[in-house]
Amino acid sequence: PITVTANVLQSKEYGDNDPALTYIVTPNLLPGDSFTGALTRAAGNVVGTYAITQGTLSAGTKYIITFVGDNFTITPKTITVTANASQSKVYGTADPVLTYTVSPSLETGDSFTGTLARAAGNNVGAYAITQGSLSAGSNYALSYAGDNFTIIPKTIMVTANVSQSKVYGTADPVLTYSVS
């Protein structure tokens, strides 16, 4: 009789390939004998805990294996979302959609939900871009690097109205203009 014990703390990051599952044997196999097959784990590829099982692991007919399982963990994939720099609008116009870059990329088939947001305000100035409701779901640990959104002054043209005049000796009239 031998005991095969799955090693503890076996894991991978979401999206990575499974590592070979490892184990400890007590007592050791006799010289010249060896294992065939491998341990397996419960099916699943999202963040969570999965039971490690004996799978096809065998030492042949000379041994009776008592298997002690453990758990295999899939941890969230760490990604960094960085707000793009130099995002702005002209005072009085609608906010654009705030953009960002991601490193590393999401796994094929995964996508973001939500959007970045910015600190409230409509006057000329800088406003912090925040993560807002942006999420990649529970399979990802999102690290966010913000930047500032700038509202720049609106350019206007003030044109004095033509042919403004007064009669000599009278008070100056209110001078008029048009704005575009």
Side-chain angles (χ1 to χ4, degrees):
I2 60 172
T3 301
V4 173
T5 305
N7 286 329
V8 298
L9 303 176
Q10 297 188 71
S11 65
K12 73 170 186 173
E13 187 175 84
Y14 173 74
D16 288 350
N17 292 324
D18 278 9
L21 299 172
T22 59
Y23 52 89
I24 298 169
V25 178
T26 54
N28 288 328
L29 298 181
L30 295 174
D33 291 343
S34 62
F35 284 100
T36 59
L39 299 181
T40 58
R41 69 171 180 88
N45 289 310
V46 297
V47 169
T49 303
Y50 301 88
I52 297 173
T53 62
Q54 185 174 338
T56 60
L57 188 68
S58 172
T61 58
K62 299 177 194 172
Y63 297 92
I64 298 170
I65 295 177
T66 300
F67 180 74
V68 179
D70 206 284
N71 288 318
F72 179 82
T73 304
I74 299 177
T75 60
K77 179 177 182 174
T78 301
I79 59 171
T80 300
V81 172
T82 304
N84 289 332
S86 302
Q87 297 185 71
S88 64
K89 75 170 188 171
V90 173
Y91 174 77
T93 62
D95 280 9
V97 173
L98 298 172
T99 59
Y100 52 89
T101 58
V102 179
S103 179
S105 299
L106 297 183
E107 294 299 314
T108 301
D110 292 347
S111 61
F112 284 97
T113 60
T115 59
L116 297 180
R118 70 169 178 89
N122 292 312
N123 292 321
V124 170
Y127 298 87
I129 299 173
T130 65
Q131 184 177 333
S133 62
L134 189 68
S135 172
S138 61
N139 288 323
Y140 295 91
L142 196 140
S143 173
Y144 177 72
D147 207 306
N148 285 322
F149 176 81
T150 306
I151 299 177
I152 58 177
K154 180 176 183 175
T155 302
I156 58 172
M157 175 76 80
V158 177
T159 306
N161 289 334
V162 294
S163 302
Q164 298 185 59
S165 63
K166 73 172 189 168
V167 173
Y168 176 75
T170 62
D172 284 350
V174 173
L175 299 173
T176 61
Y177 56 89
S178 62
V179 178
S180 61

